[in-house]
Amino acid sequence: GYFYQRVVECLYSSKDLQGIELIDSYVFNQVEHIRFNSTVGKYVGYTEHGVKNAEAWNSDAGILAQELGELERVCKGNAANHY
């Protein structure tokens, strides 16, 4: 069988909202293929397929804006729950 997983996590390094990092990882058969890191501000591919997707997704400003919107909506919106 096949195993697909998408893991979105917020990392909180300080109580101010500037220290929040969003990590959005795409995993297939226990191998991470691509990751968005809000600190880097773009997708990074780790496999041949992931590199191709990262190039395509990074060239689309709408996709990047959507990920950064997730940082605002999900991570910053739930910061009080985390602390």
Side-chain angles (χ1 to χ4, degrees):
Y2 296 102
F3 176 78
Y4 170 79
Q5 181 179 16
R6 180 178 177 197
V7 179
V8 179
E9 57 186 328
C10 301
L11 304 176
Y12 301 91
S13 61
S14 64
K15 287 197 173 194
D16 68 358
L17 296 180
Q18 301 303 319
I20 299 175
E21 181 178 16
L22 172 76
I23 306 291
D24 188 359
S25 301
Y26 295 80
V27 179
F28 183 72
N29 284 348
Q30 299 181 353
V31 175
E32 184 177 22
H33 288 269
I34 190 168
R35 173 188 290 185
F36 177 84
N37 183 321
S38 63
T39 303
V40 177
K42 66 178 185 176
Y43 288 94
V44 177
Y46 297 107
T47 63
E48 182 180 348
H49 181 70
V51 169
K52 289 180 181 179
N53 280 335
E55 290 172 358
W57 295 352
N58 287 331
S59 66
D60 186 336
I63 292 175
L64 292 176
Q66 181 178 349
E67 283 287 5
L68 292 173
E70 291 295 304
L71 172 68
E72 295 292 324
R73 187 178 66 81
V74 176
C75 295
K76 291 185 179 180
N78 289 306
N81 295 335
H82 176 76
Y83 293 115

